[in-house]
């Protein structure tokens, strides 16, 4: 939940006190993801590089090619246990870069090209990093080429590319919306449902290349985000679902404005009915914090927008 607390802080601060500065920044750069380091430094992937914000000094810093990045049009960001930033490229170059803020150096770069020099991967949308493995959502050069890339982590915790995976079901998938790692499994949220594969069992095999080794967790086509855990949650554009006795049921009803970019919950929160449980949802236009189906919504100050609206509510069914 720290990521969403700081996303709210970041938005609220610059919507009220620094609107002219924020307007000048976002007129050129569009945040595509946010991560918070252990030292409470906020990093945002943007269309022009990495944006760093120091919560103590309230200062911005740009990380671009001069600081070691090879490609600046970034589609997503993640952070590993060493505090290094993993960033995925937007079209036309779906590359993976790992940048170390502590040393101010890029530690890894990989792009995927065919024998003619054309990019085979044009976008990396989301990155999830586990203890021994990492996965990234990708889009290929053709509309029908979507899936996830698999990496083992070397002794330094850096990615070592292994393979790509596209066959989660026999149905035709046209959109992958979310990617998650929990315990020994990887979860892929698509427009044909949510699928899970055991990556530990198939770590050194090609098992995840075939649909028979993926199980369907949720059959609906409306899931946008999946929050795995002992009591998993599904977020759609209009509701939050939880699983009771093996059946997915609607817990809260509302509509999110803008495409959903990220969602998280407190590590201590097992379901939306638990006292103090909080869920954060970040869209292209709003940040939502949800507790007991009550929602506070804060408009992300991109350009000239109105004051954040606070106090809309979910309806429990």
């Amino acid at each position: 939940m720290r990521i969403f607390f700081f996303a709210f802080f970041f938005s609220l601060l610059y919507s009220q006190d620094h609107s002219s500065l924020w307007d000048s920044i976002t007129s050129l750069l569009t945040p595509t993801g946010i991560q918070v380091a252990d030292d409470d430094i906020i990093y945002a992937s943007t269309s022009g590089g990495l944006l760093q914000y120091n919560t103590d000094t309230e200062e911005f810093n740009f990380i671009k090619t001069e600081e070691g990045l090879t490609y600046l049009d970034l589609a997503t960001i993640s952070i590993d246990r060493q505090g290094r930033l993993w960033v995925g490229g937007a079209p036309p170059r779906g590359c993976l870069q790992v940048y170390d803020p502590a040393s101010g150096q890029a530690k890894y770069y990989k792009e995927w090209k065919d024998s003619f020099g054309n990019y085979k991967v044009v976008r990396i949308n989301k990155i999830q990093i586990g203890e021994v493995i990492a996965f990234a959502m990708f889009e290929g050069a053709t509309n029908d080429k979507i899936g996830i890339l698999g990496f083992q982590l070397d002794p330094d915790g850096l990615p070592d590319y292994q393979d790509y995976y596209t066959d989660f079901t026999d149905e035709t998938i046209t959109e992958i919306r979310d990617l998650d790692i929990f315990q020994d499994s990887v979860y892929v949220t698509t427009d044909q449902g949510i699928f899970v594969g055991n990556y530990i069992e198939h770590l050194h095999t090609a098992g995840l290349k075939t649909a028979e080794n993926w199980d369907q967790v949720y059959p609906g086509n409306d899931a946008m985000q999946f929050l795995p855990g002992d009591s998993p949650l599904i977020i759609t554009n209009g509701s939050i679902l939880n699983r009771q006795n093996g059946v997915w049921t609607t817990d809260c009803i509302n509509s999110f404005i803008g495409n959903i970019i990220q969602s998280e919950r407190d590590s201590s929160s097992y379901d939306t009915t638990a006292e103090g449980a909080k869920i954060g949802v970040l869209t292209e236009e709003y940040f939502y914090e949800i507790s007991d189906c009550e929602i506070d919504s804060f408009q992300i100050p991109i350009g000239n927008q109105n004051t954040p609206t606070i106090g809309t509510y979910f309806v429990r069914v």
Side-chain angles (χ1 to χ4, degrees):
M1 188 56 63
R2 293 172 67 247
I3 180 175
F4 292 101
F5 170 78
F6 283 107
F8 156 64
F9 173 82
F10 189 58
S11 302
L12 193 59
L13 175 66
Y14 281 87
S15 65
Q16 294 182 349
D17 299 328
H18 301 275
S19 59
S20 60
L21 175 59
W22 181 251
D23 286 349
S24 67
I25 292 173
T26 56
S27 64
L28 298 174
L29 301 177
T30 302
T32 57
I34 296 175
Q35 292 289 335
V36 183
D38 289 339
D39 55 3
D40 291 342
I41 301 294
I42 300 172
Y43 295 94
S45 54
T46 79
S47 58
L50 285 169
L51 180 62
Q52 180 189 65
Y53 178 67
N54 189 312
T55 58
D56 291 330
T57 63
E58 298 184 5
E59 293 179 342
F60 285 100
N61 181 44
F62 290 92
I63 300 172
K64 306 180 81 170
T65 52
E66 294 83 354
E67 289 72 35
L69 291 180
T70 300
Y71 186 63
L72 299 183
D73 194 354
L74 307 178
T76 189
I77 182 172
S78 188
I79 189 167
D80 65 20
R81 289 173 173 79
Q82 289 78 30
R84 296 173 301 205
L85 307 174
W86 295 41
V87 291
R93 191 191 303 187
C95 57
L96 175 63
Q97 303 177 80
V98 179
Y99 179 81
D100 184 8
S103 64
Q105 297 178 338
K107 298 295 185 180
Y108 178 87
Y109 177 86
K110 183 173 180 59
E111 58 189 26
W112 289 262
K113 290 183 177 181
D114 62 22
S115 58
F116 298 100
N118 301 312
Y119 289 107
K120 296 193 295 182
V121 174
V122 299
R123 178 191 290 272
I124 291 182
N125 288 322
K126 187 171 183 178
I127 303 164
Q128 289 286 0
I129 309 166
E131 294 184 1
V132 298
I133 202 165
F135 292 97
M137 292 165 41
F138 80 89
E139 295 178 10
T142 57
N143 292 335
D144 60 341
K145 199 65 174 181
I146 57 175
I148 62 175
L149 306 170
F151 306 84
Q152 289 193 38
L153 303 186
D154 70 14
D156 295 322
L158 293 172
D160 180 14
Y161 173 66
Q162 299 296 302
D163 212 336
Y164 68 92
Y165 311 99
T166 58
D167 295 326
F168 313 110
T169 174
D170 294 332
E171 302 294 329
T172 300
I173 293 175
T174 61
E175 183 180 6
I176 296 180
R177 299 165 176 168
D178 195 20
L179 174 67
D180 300 277
I181 294 176
F182 181 67
Q183 295 178 345
D184 58 0
S185 298
V186 55
Y187 296 84
V188 183
T189 301
T190 77
D191 57 356
Q192 295 295 331
I194 301 174
F195 301 91
V196 60
N198 187 312
Y199 69 82
I200 294 296
E201 180 180 343
H202 300 292
L203 186 62
H204 300 291
T205 73
L208 294 182
K209 298 284 285 186
T210 60
E212 64 183 15
N213 289 316
W214 292 86
D215 296 319
Q216 191 174 61
V217 175
Y218 175 72
N221 62 4
D222 56 346
M224 303 304 295
Q225 296 276 295
F226 181 63
L227 298 176
D230 296 331
S231 296
L233 300 175
I234 293 173
I235 297 176
T236 74
N237 279 327
S239 63
I240 296 178
L241 310 179
N242 64 25
R243 189 165 61 187
Q244 299 178 358
N245 299 320
V247 178
W248 290 102
T249 60
T250 301
D251 188 34
C252 303
I253 296 178
N254 197 44
S255 295
F256 298 110
I257 299 175
N259 293 325
I260 298 174
I261 298 174
Q262 292 175 262
S263 63
E264 284 191 12
R265 61 178 171 182
D266 288 335
S267 58
S268 60
S269 301
Y270 295 108
D271 58 63
T272 54
T273 62
E275 182 178 358
K278 290 183 180 180
I279 301 171
V281 178
L282 185 66
T283 76
E284 292 175 333
E285 301 181 35
Y286 280 82
F287 159 70
Y288 300 87
E289 186 173 89
I290 307 148
S291 180
D292 194 29
C293 285
E294 180 177 319
I295 181 170
D296 285 340
S297 59
F298 308 96
Q299 193 167 13
I300 304 299
I302 302 297
N304 295 315
Q305 295 185 341
N306 298 325
T307 304
T309 301
I310 302 175
T312 351
Y313 295 91
F314 273 105
V315 177
R316 185 181 297 282
V317 297

